[in-house]
Amino acid sequence: MNNNSYLLKKEEMNDRTIVPDWLPKEYETFHKIVTDKTFPCYFGMGAEKKGELRYSFLNHDDWSHLPNTVEDFLKLFEEPPFIRHGFFLFVEPEQEGKSIEYYREYFWDILNYLNDNDKEPWPVDYPTDPDHHLWAFSFAGEPFFVFGNSPAYKQRKTRNLGNSLVLGFQPRKIFEGLEGTSKGGIMSREKVRERVENWDQLPKHPDISHYGDPTHHEWKQYFIGDDVKPITGKCPFHQNK
């Protein structure tokens, strides 16, 4: 594989001439879960059904295409019509079971890899310190909300989308009108979280809040625990901009 982009639409996720053998099965599992009528995130459900999501994959031994792939994803927002596209990155499944800690470390390794290969400066409106409550992971000048899903989640079933580590990338611009303090944002968030608690049979994780909450750290929401314990320690992100 070279440095070309591998930004895929749903109909391409089963094309074995361009995707690895393991991906069609993992995408089938993802699609089945996300389109279940009781799935908590109805935004994700609707986007998957309408073909508005984009995807890619990582083999363990080659991440080289990823920076170009994410850049191509961001180009979708350059011209109208404005669609709330999300991007899901599937990582080659492990041969044996791994822990939450293993997948969390892998997750942050991917974000650090993107940061190390980012050609654009960090956006001026966003702090570079992850301990600042307004920090957000940024790439190619665009801030994102990124969240990790993995097979190691046993209780938080909404974060288990199959045998792959799956990273969901949502540009912050798709939340315009749904900000944490807006009426629409508050109502939407509460509905989704109520459905999440019903799915997981577990209370909301204590690190989950909304962007801009001065009492929370955004990075802690990216890869939550399979429990109700607050995440401690230093952010694994290495800012090099």
Coordinates of all heavy atoms in Angstrom, one line a residue, residues 32-83:
K32 N -24.9 -3.7 11.3 CA -26.0 -4.4 12.0 C -26.2 -3.7 13.3 O -27.4 -3.5 13.7 CB -25.6 -5.8 12.2 CG -26.8 -6.6 12.8 CD -26.4 -8.1 12.9 CE -27.6 -8.9 13.5 NZ -27.2 -10.4 13.6
I33 N -25.2 -3.3 14.0 CA -25.3 -2.7 15.4 C -25.9 -1.3 15.2 O -26.8 -0.9 15.9 CB -24.0 -2.7 16.1 CG1 -23.5 -4.1 16.5 CG2 -24.1 -1.8 17.4 CD1 -22.1 -4.2 17.0
V34 N -25.3 -0.5 14.3 CA -25.6 0.9 14.3 C -27.0 1.1 13.7 O -27.6 2.1 14.0 CB -24.5 1.6 13.4 CG1 -24.9 3.1 13.1 CG2 -23.2 1.6 14.2
T35 N -27.5 0.2 12.9 CA -28.9 0.4 12.3 C -29.9 -0.4 13.1 O -31.1 -0.4 12.7 CB -28.9 -0.1 10.8 OG1 -28.5 -1.5 10.8 CG2 -28.0 0.8 10.0
D36 N -29.6 -1.0 14.2 CA -30.6 -1.6 15.1 C -31.5 -0.5 15.6 O -31.0 0.6 16.0 CB -29.9 -2.2 16.3 CG -30.8 -2.9 17.2 OD1 -31.7 -2.3 17.8 OD2 -30.7 -4.2 17.4
K37 N -32.8 -0.7 15.5 CA -33.7 0.4 15.8 C -33.6 0.9 17.2 O -34.1 2.0 17.6 CB -35.2 0.0 15.5 CG -35.7 -1.1 16.4 CD -37.2 -1.4 16.0 CE -37.8 -2.5 16.9 NZ -37.2 -3.8 16.7
T38 N -33.0 0.2 18.1 CA -32.8 0.6 19.5 C -31.4 1.2 19.8 O -31.1 1.7 20.9 CB -33.0 -0.5 20.5 OG1 -32.0 -1.5 20.3 CG2 -34.4 -1.2 20.4
F39 N -30.6 1.3 18.7 CA -29.3 1.9 18.9 C -29.4 3.3 19.4 O -30.2 4.1 18.9 CB -28.5 1.8 17.6 CG -27.0 2.2 17.7 CD1 -26.1 1.4 18.4 CD2 -26.6 3.4 17.2 CE1 -24.8 1.8 18.5 CE2 -25.2 3.8 17.3 CZ -24.3 3.0 18.0
P40 N -28.6 3.7 20.5 CA -28.8 4.9 21.1 C -28.6 6.2 20.3 O -29.3 7.2 20.4 CB -27.8 4.9 22.3 CG -27.6 3.5 22.5 CD -27.7 2.8 21.2
C41 N -27.6 6.2 19.4 CA -27.3 7.4 18.6 C -28.1 7.4 17.3 O -27.7 6.8 16.3 CB -25.8 7.5 18.3 SG -25.3 9.0 17.5
Y42 N -29.2 8.1 17.3 CA -30.0 8.1 16.1 C -29.4 9.0 15.0 O -29.7 8.8 13.9 CB -31.4 8.5 16.4 CG -31.6 9.7 17.4 CD1 -31.4 11.0 17.1 CD2 -32.0 9.4 18.7 CE1 -31.6 12.0 18.0 CE2 -32.1 10.4 19.7 CZ -32.0 11.7 19.3 OH -32.1 12.7 20.2
F43 N -28.4 9.9 15.4 CA -27.7 10.6 14.3 C -26.9 9.6 13.5 O -26.8 9.7 12.3 CB -26.8 11.7 15.0 CG -27.6 12.8 15.7 CD1 -27.5 12.9 17.0 CD2 -28.5 13.6 14.9 CE1 -28.2 13.9 17.7 CE2 -29.2 14.6 15.6 CZ -29.1 14.8 17.0
G44 N -26.1 8.8 14.3 CA -25.3 7.8 13.6 C -26.1 6.8 12.8 O -25.7 6.4 11.7
M45 N -27.2 6.4 13.4 CA -28.1 5.4 12.7 C -28.6 6.0 11.4 O -28.5 5.4 10.3 CB -29.3 5.1 13.6 CG -30.2 4.1 13.0 SD -31.8 4.0 13.9 CE -31.3 3.8 15.6
G46 N -29.0 7.3 11.4 CA -29.6 7.9 10.2 C -28.5 8.1 9.2 O -28.7 7.9 8.0
A47 N -27.3 8.5 9.6 CA -26.2 8.8 8.7 C -25.8 7.5 8.0 O -25.5 7.4 6.8 CB -25.0 9.4 9.4
E48 N -25.7 6.4 8.8 CA -25.3 5.1 8.2 C -26.4 4.6 7.2 O -26.0 4.2 6.1 CB -25.2 4.0 9.3 CG -25.0 2.6 8.8 CD -23.7 2.4 8.1 OE1 -22.8 3.2 8.1 OE2 -23.6 1.3 7.5
K49 N -27.6 4.8 7.5 CA -28.7 4.3 6.6 C -28.7 5.2 5.3 O -28.9 4.6 4.2 CB -30.1 4.4 7.2 CG -30.3 3.3 8.3 CD -31.7 3.5 8.9 CE -32.0 2.4 9.9 NZ -33.3 2.5 10.5
K50 N -28.4 6.5 5.4 CA -28.4 7.3 4.2 C -27.1 7.4 3.4 O -27.0 8.0 2.4 CB -28.8 8.8 4.7 CG -30.2 8.9 5.2 CD -30.5 10.4 5.5 CE -30.0 10.8 6.8 NZ -30.5 12.2 7.2
G51 N -26.1 6.6 3.9 CA -24.9 6.6 3.2 C -24.0 7.8 3.4 O -23.2 8.2 2.5
E52 N -24.2 8.5 4.5 CA -23.5 9.8 4.7 C -22.2 9.6 5.5 O -21.4 10.5 5.6 CB -24.4 10.7 5.5 CG -25.6 11.2 4.7 CD -26.5 12.1 5.5 OE1 -26.4 12.2 6.7 OE2 -27.5 12.6 4.9
L53 N -22.0 8.4 6.0 CA -20.7 8.1 6.7 C -19.6 7.7 5.7 O -19.9 7.3 4.6 CB -20.9 7.0 7.7 CG -21.9 7.2 8.8 CD1 -21.9 6.0 9.8 CD2 -21.6 8.5 9.6
R54 N -18.4 8.0 6.1 CA -17.2 7.5 5.3 C -16.4 6.7 6.2 O -16.4 6.8 7.4 CB -16.4 8.7 4.8 CG -17.2 9.6 3.8 CD -17.5 8.8 2.5 NE -18.2 9.6 1.5 CZ -19.6 9.7 1.4 NH1 -20.3 9.0 2.3 NH2 -20.1 10.4 0.5
Y55 N -15.5 5.8 5.6 CA -14.8 4.8 6.3 C -13.4 4.7 5.8 O -13.1 5.1 4.7 CB -15.5 3.5 6.2 CG -17.0 3.5 6.3 CD1 -17.7 3.7 5.1 CD2 -17.7 3.4 7.4 CE1 -19.1 3.8 5.1 CE2 -19.1 3.4 7.5 CZ -19.8 3.6 6.3 OH -21.1 3.7 6.3
S56 N -12.5 4.0 6.6 CA -11.3 3.6 6.1 C -10.8 2.4 7.0 O -11.5 2.0 8.0 CB -10.2 4.7 6.0 OG -9.1 4.3 5.2
F57 N -9.6 2.0 6.8 CA -9.1 0.8 7.6 C -7.6 1.0 7.8 O -6.9 1.8 7.1 CB -9.3 -0.5 6.9 CG -8.7 -0.5 5.5 CD1 -7.4 -1.0 5.3 CD2 -9.4 -0.1 4.4 CE1 -6.8 -1.0 4.1 CE2 -8.8 -0.1 3.1 CZ -7.5 -0.6 3.0
L58 N -7.1 0.3 8.9 CA -5.7 0.3 9.1 C -5.2 -1.1 9.3 O -5.8 -1.9 10.2 CB -5.3 1.0 10.4 CG -5.2 2.6 10.5 CD1 -4.6 3.0 11.8 CD2 -4.3 3.1 9.3
N59 N -4.3 -1.6 8.6 CA -3.6 -2.8 8.9 C -2.5 -2.5 9.9 O -1.9 -1.4 9.9 CB -3.0 -3.5 7.6 CG -4.0 -4.0 6.7 OD1 -4.9 -4.7 7.1 ND2 -3.9 -3.7 5.4
H60 N -2.2 -3.4 10.8 CA -1.2 -3.1 11.8 C 0.1 -2.7 11.3 O 0.8 -1.8 11.9 CB -1.0 -4.4 12.7 CG -2.2 -4.8 13.5 ND1 -2.9 -3.9 14.3 CD2 -2.8 -6.0 13.6 CE1 -3.9 -4.6 14.9 NE2 -3.8 -5.8 14.5
D61 N 0.5 -3.2 10.1 CA 1.9 -2.9 9.6 C 1.9 -1.7 8.7 O 3.0 -1.4 8.1 CB 2.5 -4.1 9.0 CG 1.6 -4.6 7.8 OD1 0.5 -4.1 7.6 OD2 2.0 -5.6 7.1
D62 N 0.8 -1.0 8.4 CA 0.9 0.1 7.5 C -0.2 1.1 7.8 O -1.4 0.9 7.5 CB 0.7 -0.4 6.1 CG 1.0 0.6 5.0 OD1 1.2 1.8 5.4 OD2 1.0 0.3 3.8
W63 N 0.2 2.3 8.3 CA -0.7 3.4 8.5 C -0.5 4.5 7.5 O -1.0 5.6 7.7 CB -0.5 3.9 9.9 CG -0.7 3.0 11.1 CD1 -1.0 1.7 11.0 CD2 -0.6 3.3 12.5 NE1 -1.1 1.1 12.2 CE2 -0.9 2.1 13.2 CE3 -0.4 4.5 13.2 CZ2 -0.9 2.0 14.6 CZ3 -0.4 4.4 14.6 CH2 -0.6 3.2 15.2
S64 N 0.4 4.3 6.5 CA 0.9 5.4 5.7 C -0.2 6.2 5.0 O 0.0 7.4 4.8 CB 1.9 4.9 4.7 OG 1.3 3.9 3.9
H65 N -1.3 5.6 4.6 CA -2.3 6.3 3.9 C -3.2 7.2 4.7 O -3.9 8.1 4.2 CB -3.2 5.3 3.1 CG -4.2 4.6 4.1 ND1 -5.4 5.2 4.4 CD2 -4.1 3.5 4.7 CE1 -6.0 4.3 5.3 NE2 -5.3 3.3 5.5
L66 N -3.1 7.0 6.1 CA -4.1 7.7 6.9 C -4.2 9.2 6.9 O -5.2 9.8 6.8 CB -3.9 7.2 8.4 CG -5.0 7.7 9.4 CD1 -6.4 7.2 9.0 CD2 -4.6 7.2 10.8
P67 N -3.0 9.9 6.9 CA -3.1 11.4 6.8 C -3.8 11.8 5.6 O -4.7 12.7 5.6 CB -1.6 11.8 6.9 CG -0.9 10.7 7.6 CD -1.6 9.5 7.2
N68 N -3.5 11.3 4.4 CA -4.2 11.6 3.2 C -5.6 11.3 3.2 O -6.5 12.0 2.7 CB -3.5 11.0 2.0 CG -2.1 11.6 1.6 OD1 -1.8 12.6 2.1 ND2 -1.4 10.9 0.8
T69 N -6.0 10.2 3.8 CA -7.4 9.8 3.9 C -8.2 10.7 4.7 O -9.3 11.1 4.3 CB -7.5 8.3 4.5 OG1 -6.8 7.4 3.6 CG2 -8.9 7.9 4.6
V70 N -7.7 11.2 5.8 CA -8.4 12.1 6.7 C -8.5 13.5 6.0 O -9.5 14.2 6.0 CB -7.8 12.3 8.1 CG1 -8.5 13.3 8.9 CG2 -7.7 10.9 8.8
E71 N -7.5 13.9 5.3 CA -7.5 15.1 4.5 C -8.6 15.1 3.4 O -9.4 16.0 3.2 CB -6.1 15.4 3.8 CG -5.1 15.8 4.8 CD -3.7 15.9 4.2 OE1 -3.6 15.8 2.9 OE2 -2.7 16.2 4.9
D72 N -8.7 13.9 2.8 CA -9.8 13.8 1.7 C -11.1 13.8 2.4 O -12.1 14.3 1.8 CB -9.6 12.5 1.0 CG -8.6 12.6 -0.2 OD1 -8.0 13.7 -0.3 OD2 -8.3 11.6 -0.9
F73 N -11.3 13.2 3.6 CA -12.6 13.3 4.3 C -13.0 14.8 4.5 O -14.1 15.2 4.3 CB -12.5 12.5 5.6 CG -13.7 12.8 6.5 CD1 -14.9 12.3 6.2 CD2 -13.5 13.5 7.7 CE1 -16.0 12.5 7.0 CE2 -14.6 13.7 8.5 CZ -15.9 13.2 8.2
L74 N -12.0 15.6 4.9 CA -12.3 17.0 5.2 C -12.7 17.8 4.0 O -13.4 18.8 4.1 CB -11.1 17.6 5.9 CG -10.9 17.1 7.4 CD1 -9.6 17.7 7.9 CD2 -12.1 17.5 8.3
K75 N -12.2 17.3 2.8 CA -12.6 18.0 1.6 C -14.1 17.9 1.3 O -14.6 18.7 0.5 CB -11.8 17.4 0.4 CG -10.3 17.8 0.4 CD -9.5 17.1 -0.7 CE -8.0 17.3 -0.5 NZ -7.2 16.6 -1.5
L76 N -14.8 16.9 1.9 CA -16.2 16.8 1.7 C -17.0 18.0 2.2 O -18.1 18.2 1.8 CB -16.7 15.5 2.4 CG -16.2 14.2 2.0 CD1 -16.7 13.1 2.9 CD2 -16.5 13.9 0.5
F77 N -16.4 18.8 3.1 CA -17.0 19.9 3.7 C -16.7 21.2 3.0 O -17.2 22.3 3.4 CB -16.6 20.0 5.2 CG -17.0 18.8 6.0 CD1 -16.1 17.8 6.1 CD2 -18.3 18.8 6.6 CE1 -16.5 16.7 6.9 CE2 -18.6 17.7 7.3 CZ -17.7 16.6 7.5
E78 N -15.9 21.2 1.9 CA -15.5 22.4 1.2 C -16.6 23.0 0.3 O -16.6 24.2 0.1 CB -14.2 22.1 0.4 CG -13.0 21.8 1.3 CD -11.8 21.5 0.5 OE1 -11.8 21.5 -0.7 OE2 -10.7 21.3 1.1
E79 N -17.5 22.2 -0.1 CA -18.5 22.7 -1.0 C -19.9 22.2 -0.6 O -20.0 21.1 0.0 CB -18.3 22.2 -2.5 CG -17.0 22.7 -3.1 CD -16.8 22.2 -4.5 OE1 -17.7 21.5 -5.0 OE2 -15.7 22.4 -5.0
P80 N -20.9 23.0 -0.8 CA -22.3 22.6 -0.4 C -22.8 21.5 -1.3 O -22.2 21.2 -2.4 CB -23.1 23.9 -0.7 CG -22.3 24.7 -1.6 CD -20.9 24.4 -1.4
P81 N -23.8 20.7 -0.9 CA -24.6 20.9 0.3 C -23.9 20.5 1.6 O -23.0 19.6 1.6 CB -25.8 20.0 0.1 CG -25.3 18.9 -0.7 CD -24.2 19.5 -1.6
F82 N -24.2 21.1 2.7 CA -23.6 20.8 4.0 C -24.2 19.5 4.6 O -25.4 19.5 4.8 CB -23.7 21.9 5.0 CG -23.0 21.6 6.3 CD1 -21.7 21.5 6.5 CD2 -23.8 21.3 7.4 CE1 -21.1 21.2 7.7 CE2 -23.2 20.9 8.7 CZ -21.9 20.9 8.8
I83 N -23.4 18.5 4.7 CA -23.9 17.2 5.3 C -23.1 16.9 6.5 O -21.9 17.1 6.5 CB -23.8 16.1 4.2 CG1 -24.8 16.4 3.1 CG2 -24.2 14.7 4.9 CD1 -24.6 15.4 1.9

